[in-house]
Amino acid sequence: SIEFDKNEIVVPVSLMTDASYVVVKVIDNDKTTTFDDCKVNEVTRKGDTIDTYYAHIISKKMKDYTWTENSKVTVQIYSGENYETLTFGYKVKEYKDNWLILDKVVFEKE
């Protein structure tokens, strides 16, 4: 399983290869926006085995996106033709439009 929020995607490294790339699609009020500039920002580890390594993936375009309470997200991990494309879906669970500070957007897996 992966973790998704409006600032980053956290993916277990065991779900990726060195050729993997991530694409995020957002459907919001019948408009689709694609973020294809995703890149690994850092890798963290919580232990000594590969299943405890996590890739933190960011998108500069997604960082500037204006979310709404109707946003639905699809995260796809492509790892080459010898691997199945992994697809994860999310929707907004909690949304609060904060006038002067950043909006609160909480996602849940579909």
Side-chain angles (χ1 to χ4, degrees):
S1 182
I2 69 172
E3 295 175 27
F4 179 84
D5 71 31
K6 66 181 186 171
N7 296 315
E8 78 174 351
I9 307 159
V10 180
V11 179
V13 172
S14 60
L15 298 180
M16 302 177 75
T17 68
D18 61 343
S20 293
Y21 64 96
V22 175
V23 175
V24 177
K25 293 182 183 179
V26 179
I27 298 174
D28 208 343
N29 299 319
D30 297 324
K31 179 184 172 196
T32 301
T33 305
T34 301
F35 302 109
D36 56 3
D37 67 331
C38 298
K39 66 176 188 172
V40 175
N41 184 49
E42 71 174 317
V43 176
T44 58
R45 64 182 189 186
K46 297 181 180 179
D48 294 329
T49 59
I50 190 71
D51 62 326
T52 62
Y53 285 59
Y54 296 89
H56 295 257
I57 299 168
I58 60 169
S59 162
K60 288 184 181 181
K61 294 177 189 176
M62 192 170 70
K63 184 177 181 181
D64 296 329
Y65 186 74
T66 303
W67 299 96
T68 73
E69 60 190 13
N70 300 316
S71 299
K72 291 193 175 227
V73 179
T74 301
V75 178
Q76 293 183 303
I77 302 173
Y78 300 94
S79 295
E81 46 184 76
N82 294 330
Y83 298 92
E84 180 182 342
T85 298
L86 302 175
T87 303
F88 303 89
Y90 294 87
K91 66 180 179 180
V92 173
K93 175 182 177 182
E94 185 179 346
Y95 176 82
K96 184 173 181 186
D97 185 2
N98 294 319
W99 189 58
L100 291 175
I101 56 175
L102 295 175
D103 293 344
K104 180 178 182 177
V105 184
V106 178
F107 294 91
E108 71 179 350
K109 193 171 182 176
E110 283 193 305

